[in-house]
């Protein structure tokens, strides 16, 4: 990933915070013909597994990406965080600027292990539901499923475990601008007030603090 030094995010905790907060990612694996297979998946991050963490996800058994991923090829999972348009109007000298786009992304490079066992797959699905049902008055769990249906569904999917070898983070948050312009952009984002804008303003503040 092309990442000028001003925008490179190398703090592991900030990288993994983005992965956890924006855990619906894009898994990519190359095939033998030079093509790229892509799957859009909800991931579970085990951030304390190894130096860079571990990802778990599942795909339909009919999806060819799992055979590519478990065949020893390197894979990349891409996680996109907040993003949005930045207007020249927000700068101290708007007539000397052009529009741009601020965003935050993390690429997780690694290799997938053999497909999960049945017990590992059940644990993944329970963890995934537990994360996203958190806070519900009556959280759903797989125990509510008809047993025969549960078994049939398990046979139709494959679980993947990806040990992360390397993380790349790019947080383009106006770091190449003056402190005054950075403050103007953060203020304008907060005033515009979309969820992405508020997340970007928060990241701009965090990016200026020691890791």
């Amino acid at each position: 990933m092309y990442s000028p030094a001003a925008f490179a995010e190398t703090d592991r905790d900030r990288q993994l915070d983005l992965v956890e907060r924006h855990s619906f990612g894009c898994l990519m694996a190359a095939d033998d013909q030079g093509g790229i297979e892509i799957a859009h998946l909800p991931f579970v991050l085990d951030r304390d597994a190894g130096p860079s963490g571990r990802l778990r996800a599942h795909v339909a058994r009919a999806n060819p990406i799992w055979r590519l991923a478990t065949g020893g090829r390197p894979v990349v999972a891409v996680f996109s965080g907040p993003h949005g348009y930045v207007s020249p109007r927000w700068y101290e000298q708007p007539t000397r600027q052009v529009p741009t786009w601020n965003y935050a992304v993390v690429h997780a490079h690694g290799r997938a292990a053999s497909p999960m066992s049945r017990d590992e797959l059940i644990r993944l699905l329970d963890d995934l539901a537990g994360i996203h049902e958190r806070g519900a008055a009556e959280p759903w769990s797989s125990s509510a499923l008809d047993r025969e249906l549960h078994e049939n569904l398990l046979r139709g999917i494959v679980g993947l475990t990806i040990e992360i070898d390397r993380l790349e983070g790019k947080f383009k948050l106006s770091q190449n601008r003056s402190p005054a312009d950075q403050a103007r952009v953060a203020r304008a984002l907060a005033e515009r007030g979309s969820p992405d804008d508020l997340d970007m303003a928060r990241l701009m503040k965090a990016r200026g603090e020691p890791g």
Side-chain angles (χ1 to χ4, degrees):
M1 174 170 58
Y2 171 67
S3 186
F7 305 140
E9 179 54 81
T10 59
D11 184 278
R12 176 185 183 272
D13 285 336
R14 288 176 184 156
Q15 292 169 336
L16 295 182
D17 285 347
L18 183 140
V19 172
E20 279 188 330
R21 190 176 177 89
H22 302 275
S23 58
F24 188 80
C26 177
L27 180 65
M28 295 182 283
D31 62 28
D32 292 331
Q33 288 72 48
I36 302 292
E37 194 69 37
I38 301 171
H40 300 270
L41 309 169
F43 286 84
V44 171
L45 170 66
D46 302 318
R47 63 188 299 156
D48 296 324
S52 298
R54 178 178 63 202
L55 296 168
R56 291 179 290 149
H58 68 283
V59 299
R61 187 168 291 277
N63 190 328
I65 198 168
W66 72 265
R67 296 187 187 277
L68 296 175
T70 59
R73 293 172 172 82
V75 298
V76 182
V78 176
F79 299 91
S80 298
H83 64 92
Y85 174 80
V86 175
S87 172
R89 296 179 290 104
W90 299 349
Y91 295 123
E92 192 170 6
Q93 296 181 300
T95 61
R96 300 180 61 84
Q97 306 296 338
V98 295
T100 190
W101 207 272
N102 276 3
Y103 57 92
V105 295
V106 170
H107 295 184
H109 299 257
R111 293 180 186 271
S114 299
M116 288 180 183
S117 68
R118 178 183 180 280
D119 288 346
E120 289 171 329
L121 180 56
I122 291 173
R123 191 175 308 118
L124 163 64
L125 298 176
D126 286 344
D127 288 346
L128 193 60
I131 291 168
H132 296 286
E133 291 283 335
R134 192 177 294 145
E138 297 181 11
W140 180 91
S141 77
S142 61
S143 62
L145 276 177
D146 173 83
R147 291 298 92 191
E148 183 177 355
L149 174 61
H150 190 206
E151 291 300 322
N152 287 338
L153 292 173
L154 287 174
R155 285 192 288 271
I157 59 177
V158 176
L160 300 173
T161 302
I162 300 167
E163 301 294 338
I164 302 173
D165 298 326
R166 178 168 58 95
L167 289 164
E168 290 182 292
K170 183 176 182 180
F171 288 17
K172 182 178 179 292
L173 302 169
S174 302
Q175 301 96 318
N176 59 333
R177 302 294 179 180
S178 69
D181 273 351
Q182 290 183 46
R184 286 170 178 268
V185 171
R187 187 163 54 249
L189 290 169
E191 289 173 357
R192 194 166 65 185
S194 75
D196 272 353
D197 293 334
L198 296 176
D199 264 359
M200 280 194 287
R202 176 184 61 81
L203 282 176
M204 290 178 73
K205 180 178 184 300
R207 189 62 170 75
E209 297 172 351

